[in-house]
Amino acid sequence: MFIGREAELRFLEDKYSEEKGQLIVLYGRRRVGKTETLREFCKGKPHVFYSCTQCADKVQLGRFSKQLLNEALPAKQYISEFSDWEKAFRAILDLPYKDKKKLIVIDEFPYMCKGDAGIPSVLQSLWDESFKDSNVMIILCGSAMSFMEKEVLAEKNPLYGRATGIYKMREMGFYDACKFFPDYTAREKVVAYAVLGGIPHYLNQFQKDLSLAENIKKHILTKGAILYSEVDFLLHQELRETAVYNSIIEAVAQGSTRLNEISQKSLVEDTSKTSVYLKNLMELGIVEREFSVDTSVKERVNAGRGLYRLADNFFRFWYTFGFSNFSQLEDGDVEGVWTYVVEPALQEFAALPFEEVCREFVKELQKKNALPFRYQRMGRWYGKTTMRSAKTEGGMSVAETEIDLLTISKDAKEYMVGECKFKKVPFSYSEYLNTLAKLTPLKENARFYYALFSASGFDEKLVEEAKTKEELKLYDLEDIVNMKR
């Protein structure tokens, strides 16, 4: 059963229904579900779906020719293969689809260009000459994101400015990921998302009839399982120097967030080299560089600013639990690793992804106009605050702090401060007071609202406080997880 991707399918259907030619570029990291989404879109429509492979150009042309000619093209009477790419692409106009759009999908387009770098120029010439005014829809799809952005979409490349639609597919959000586990409890859904993230290929590995614990043990920690070797496979496919990348990813997974820390922890002495490695990982969607929500565009350019985090939940899980216990897993000690390593730490591990879930929940509230104001920016906030301390003269000290979720209105006169607690005890009144203490560095003459998110409810004093304060909202796990049912 195909799950989710409503926005992507709606985008493609809208383009399909438009008049004149359509040249769509759809790309995203591996395993994100591009191919499955395109196949779902093509259902019920006459089409050609060609999947490129890494092979010699002549072999590629022969396979492409065969697939086109199988559509009963007139040229089939005279040839068994097109002599060049220009003739092959021009034959798209002869597809016998009557008044339907001549739909063709070229999956993993970078492989085709690797064999013949002139292919984008051939397509550009045909697009300008005839495709743009014909009832044609060509979809170029690719997983090599840097190639798609730099060699297909960037200025000075042949296809620049020709695309009628550009869609970068990202991993599924929490609410779509939940649909893979309809029988899990609200807490289990959050933990499953914390483990697998929103990559459909990963989500599909878990069996609906197994508990969360059994799925983790069977489909991640057991040698021979697809997810057991997934990280190693992807890194070897995309990168060289995998040993260095392993060290860097492990350092980030274990809490090193700044460039210097990552260099020291991964034993890469030159931070400029570490920066290059991290840039490559960001291009693959494995690592992200996060800034405080109020950081200016100018400040974001500074290489020394921002914190590095793993953008992929599954990579974070593997490098937290699997990679560091690989010898035991290779020996088949799955139960031992689960019982003594994974299970005791899984609740705390899920706390960071729970913040992602809460941010997605707030986005849904905005769509429903259910927030006290419309925000323009949302994200984590980092800064320094003055706190009471018995250890310093005057009883005050400056400390680094962060707010899990901060939304800011367009005029920066309204703020909503969010704190997220994924624990087995209720959100306490004292934790709420700690949240208030973090606000001192923020804008003084602004109006503040508060949103508290808890996996285990709230203590009585906090519940009573919320009854008397309109600006304070409490959201428990059921509110958050079941919002879109």
Side-chain angles (χ1 to χ4, degrees):
M1 182 177 69
F2 186 83
I3 294 175
R5 298 304 187 193
E6 288 89 355
E8 288 85 349
L9 292 171
R10 186 164 56 249
F11 163 76
L12 292 168
E13 290 291 351
D14 287 346
K15 290 297 179 182
Y16 186 77
S17 64
E18 288 182 18
E19 295 181 358
K20 294 190 176 181
Q22 296 295 320
L23 178 61
I24 307 300
V25 177
L26 184 143
Y27 68 108
R29 57 158 290 186
R30 294 191 187 281
R31 311 296 203 193
V32 82
K34 302 180 297 299
T35 300
E36 292 80 0
T37 300
L38 288 171
R39 290 197 182 281
E40 183 70 15
F41 164 67
C42 288
K43 282 183 179 178
K45 302 178 181 70
H47 69 278
V48 173
F49 197 113
Y50 180 72
S51 298
C52 302
T53 56
Q54 296 191 62
C55 61
D57 180 58
K58 184 168 179 58
V59 175
Q60 194 92 263
L61 178 60
R63 290 173 179 172
F64 185 76
S65 299
K66 183 179 179 181
Q67 199 155 336
L68 272 180
L69 292 168
N70 281 344
E71 295 294 304
L73 290 178
K76 190 175 183 179
Q77 303 174 51
Y78 313 106
I79 61 172
S80 60
E81 182 179 321
F82 294 104
S83 58
D84 57 51
W85 284 108
E86 191 274 337
K87 291 184 176 63
F89 287 131
R90 189 180 292 279
I92 293 170
L93 295 170
D94 297 327
L95 288 169
Y97 296 163
K98 297 182 180 178
D99 58 341
K100 297 284 187 180
K101 249 192 173 55
K102 294 169 173 52
L103 172 60
I104 179 164
V105 175
I106 303 177
D107 197 11
E108 294 301 350
F109 180 63
Y111 290 159
M112 183 180 279
C113 298
K114 189 176 181 180
D116 185 343
I119 284 175
S121 295
V122 173
L123 279 172
Q124 176 240 312
S125 177
L126 287 169
W127 177 261
D128 293 345
E129 175 193 318
S130 54
F131 283 170
K132 67 179 182 180
D133 296 316
S134 302
N135 197 24
V136 167
M137 183 173 185
I138 301 171
I139 302 176
L140 307 179
C141 177
S143 300
M145 293 194 287
S146 60
F147 179 91
M148 298 299 283
E149 291 174 346
K150 296 174 184 177
E151 304 298 328
V152 177
L153 297 173
E155 196 173 356
K156 297 182 180 178
N157 288 303
L159 291 174
Y160 175 74
R162 269 72 180 183
T164 60
I166 301 168
Y167 203 109
K168 185 176 182 178
M169 269 187 71
R170 304 184 186 277
E171 66 177 81
M172 286 180 168
F174 170 71
Y175 292 107
D176 276 344
C178 278
K179 295 172 185 175
F180 286 81
F181 320 110
D183 299 326
Y184 278 8
T185 66
R187 187 180 291 271
E188 287 172 336
K189 287 177 180 177
V190 173
V191 175
Y193 178 71
V195 172
L196 298 172
I199 302 296
H201 177 71
Y202 303 164
L203 293 162
N204 266 321
Q205 303 307 312
F206 276 21
Q207 295 173 238
K208 293 179 182 178
D209 59 336
L210 293 182
S211 69
L212 178 59
E214 290 302 317
N215 267 317
I216 291 173
K217 287 187 283 185
K218 180 177 180 179
H219 294 292
I220 300 178
L221 302 180
T222 299
K223 184 176 181 179
I226 289 175
L227 294 181
Y228 181 84
S229 55
E230 169 65 13
V231 169
D232 187 61
F233 170 78
L234 193 148
L235 290 183
H236 276 92
Q237 190 174 36
E238 298 286 352
L239 302 165
R240 300 174 183 175
E241 300 182 89
T242 52
V244 178
Y245 283 105
N246 275 324
S247 298
I248 290 173
I249 298 171
E250 186 179 29
V252 178
Q254 293 180 352
S256 298
T257 57
R258 299 188 185 278
L259 188 59
N260 284 336
E261 296 173 346
I262 297 167
S263 283
Q264 292 170 8
K265 192 74 177 288
S266 61
L267 302 180
V268 180
E269 295 179 1
D270 187 344
T271 55
S272 63
K273 287 185 178 179
T274 306
S275 183
V276 172
Y277 290 127
L278 287 166
K279 182 176 178 291
N280 292 337
L281 290 170
M282 285 191 286
E283 287 184 351
L284 292 175
I286 296 169
V287 169
E288 64 184 354
R289 191 170 166 215
E290 185 182 61
F291 297 88
S292 180
V293 65
D294 58 349
T295 304
S296 68
V297 175
K298 185 177 180 180
E299 289 176 304
R300 289 170 187 249
V301 177
N302 187 335
R305 299 297 297 269
L307 303 179
Y308 293 94
R309 298 185 186 274
L310 290 187
D312 186 296
N313 284 358
F314 179 69
F315 268 70
R316 181 169 170 260
F317 177 87
W318 180 255
Y319 281 93
T320 301
F321 301 116
F323 187 75
S324 55
N325 295 279
F326 192 67
S327 294
Q328 294 94 309
L329 294 176
E330 282 286 291
D331 291 338
D333 188 18
V334 174
E335 286 295 336
V337 172
W338 167 257
T339 303
Y340 297 104
V341 179
V342 181
E343 189 176 26
L346 200 52
Q347 175 80 20
E348 183 180 351
F349 172 84
L352 191 63
F354 180 60
E355 293 176 19
E356 297 175 34
V357 173
C358 294
R359 284 193 284 274
E360 192 172 339
F361 175 72
V362 170
K363 290 177 185 177
E364 294 300 323
L365 289 178
Q366 170 131 304
K367 291 176 188 176
K368 297 175 183 291
N369 292 316
L371 293 174
F373 64 91
R374 283 195 65 81
Y375 65 84
Q376 187 174 61
R377 289 177 286 165
M378 177 174 65
R380 250 188 222 94
W381 177 86
Y382 308 99
K384 294 181 179 180
T385 188
T386 304
M387 304 184 73
R388 296 189 180 279
S389 172
K391 297 180 180 180
T392 58
E393 187 176 345
M396 304 297 287
S397 66
V398 177
E400 293 273 348
T401 188
E402 71 175 62
I403 294 171
D404 298 335
L405 186 159
L406 185 69
T407 68
I408 307 174
S409 64
K410 185 177 181 180
D411 59 5
K413 291 182 178 179
E414 293 180 287
Y415 292 75
M416 187 177 79
V417 179
E419 284 290 313
C420 314
K421 303 293 183 186
F422 195 75
K423 302 191 298 184
K424 292 185 177 179
V425 296
F427 200 126
S428 69
Y429 186 77
S430 63
E431 288 173 323
Y432 166 58
L433 294 180
N434 288 339
T435 300
L436 298 181
K438 297 177 181 180
L439 303 180
T440 49
L442 297 177
K443 198 169 181 179
E444 288 184 7
N445 299 319
R447 184 168 184 182
F448 287 89
Y449 301 88
Y450 310 95
L452 307 182
F453 308 89
S454 174
S456 300
F458 306 87
D459 69 15
E460 290 184 15
K461 191 172 183 181
L462 192 47
V463 172
E464 290 303 313
E465 182 87 356
K467 289 178 182 178
T468 62
K469 289 192 173 181
E470 187 179 343
E471 66 272 21
L472 174 59
K473 298 294 182 185
L474 310 181
Y475 300 101
D476 65 24
L477 197 57
E478 295 296 329
D479 294 331
I480 300 163
V481 172
N482 298 319
M483 178 187 212
K484 296 192 74 173
R485 273 192 175 181

